[in-house]
Amino acid sequence: FLHADAGYRDAQESRGLGDVYKRQSLSCVLGEKFSHDGKLKNCSNAIYIGGGTGIADGILFNDRILDLKIEPQIKKSWQIKMENGDSIEECFSLSGLCKKWNDNKPKSIELLNDLFNKAIKKDRIAMQILEDAGKAFHLLIKSRIKFFEFEGEYPEKIVIGQRMGQILNEKNHPLKNVINKYNVKDIPLELSLNRNTAALGAAQSAIHEDNVK
C-alpha cells in the first residue's frame, strides 16, 4: 500500500515531494465524483478519506471539490494534532498504524494484519493503537463538520477509499468497529473498493477542471 495514491504533504513539509499531495488527493476525490460507480457521484456535500501511506483529504462542498491546498482555513489531516502531539495522519493512516505497531519491520499488509489479529485477541497495545486511530478519525470528522456547519451545510456521507476502504470491507473488522464507535454523529459511512479512482480522477481532471476551485 505504500505508494502515491494515499496523498502527501505540501512541498515545504513533505520530503521534497512537491505537488504530489495536491494531485493525488484531488484525483482520488475526482475519481469518486465522476466515475460511473463513484461513491460521491450522487451527493453534494461529503467527506472523503483515502487511506494508505498517508491520508488523502477530500471535501465535496455544494457539489464542488475543494482544493485543500489553497484553502488554508481547512486543516489537512497531517496538520491536525491529537492530545499526545501526534497528527491524525500518524494515528490513522495505514503507514502510521504499522509504525506504531512495530517500527522495526517494513510497513506491509502482513504487519497490519498482525496488528488487527492481535487486537481481535484483545492484545492491550494493539487495542490502544486502534483506539487512538478511532479518536483520530473522530477529531478529523469533527473538524470537517465544523467547516460545513460554518457554511450552513452538513455532510451527507463519509467515504473511506483507497487501500483502507478495501481493508475495512471485511466483516467485523476491528478498525471498522472502532471507526463506527467514534462516528458519534452517525453520518452514513461508505467504503470505496475501487483502487482505480485516483487514475480515473487524473484522467477526468482536464475535462472537469472548472469543478475544482
Side-chain angles (χ1 to χ4, degrees):
F1 58 83
L2 301 181
H3 48 80
D5 67 7
Y8 289 95
R9 304 160 184 77
D10 297 288
Q12 293 83 359
E13 306 279 348
S14 67
R15 303 155 291 177
L17 287 172
D19 223 23
V20 175
Y21 174 89
K22 176 182 177 181
R23 294 198 308 271
Q24 296 298 337
S25 291
L26 288 179
S27 293
C28 289
V29 186
L30 280 165
E32 294 292 353
K33 182 62 177 174
F34 296 111
S35 62
H36 73 279
D37 60 348
K39 295 296 184 180
L40 299 176
K41 189 174 181 64
N42 296 311
C43 71
S44 298
N45 294 289
I47 300 165
Y48 176 83
I49 304 170
T53 306
I55 296 294
D57 295 292
I59 293 178
L60 181 66
F61 174 66
N62 282 340
D63 210 34
R64 297 180 66 86
I65 297 167
L66 301 187
D67 181 355
L68 302 190
K69 192 175 179 66
I70 59 173
E71 298 281 352
Q73 78 280 15
I74 304 175
K75 289 187 177 181
K76 294 176 276 291
S77 58
W78 59 269
Q79 295 174 313
I80 304 173
K81 301 296 184 180
M82 307 277 288
E83 289 185 357
N84 64 3
D86 289 343
S87 70
I88 287 174
E89 187 178 62
E90 289 173 310
C91 292
F92 193 63
S93 69
L94 300 182
S95 179
L97 292 173
C98 282
K99 184 175 181 179
K100 287 183 176 296
W101 180 234
N102 193 329
D103 196 21
N104 295 319
K105 289 187 176 181
K107 299 175 180 65
S108 65
I109 292 298
E110 291 73 24
L111 186 58
L112 274 175
N113 286 336
D114 183 53
L115 166 63
F116 298 142
N117 288 333
K118 291 296 195 303
I120 291 172
K121 295 177 181 178
K122 307 299 183 183
D123 178 270
R124 180 181 60 82
I125 295 175
M127 291 177 66
Q128 185 60 56
I129 290 172
L130 297 195
E131 188 73 10
D132 288 343
K135 292 177 180 178
F137 168 82
H138 171 71
L139 186 59
L140 179 59
I141 299 306
K142 181 180 178 181
S143 174
R144 299 294 182 250
I145 289 175
K146 184 177 180 180
F147 161 76
F148 277 103
E149 290 183 334
F150 181 81
E151 299 290 344
E153 298 290 347
Y154 199 78
E156 302 164 39
K157 65 171 69 173
I158 301 166
V159 175
I160 297 180
Q162 296 300 302
R163 177 68 75 178
M164 184 175 284
Q166 292 186 320
I167 288 174
L168 297 181
N169 196 43
E170 297 178 11
K171 184 178 180 181
N172 203 35
H173 194 283
L175 180 57
K176 176 72 176 299
N177 293 339
V178 170
I179 289 172
N180 287 334
K181 170 185 171 181
Y182 280 97
N183 185 16
V184 296
K185 297 294 185 179
D186 290 325
I187 301 173
L189 178 66
E190 296 185 13
L191 302 178
S192 173
L193 307 182
N194 188 347
R195 290 293 305 283
N196 296 319
T197 52
L200 292 169
Q204 289 287 340
S205 62
I207 301 172
H208 297 283
E209 189 175 4
D210 60 343
N211 284 280
V212 180
K213 70 175 184 178

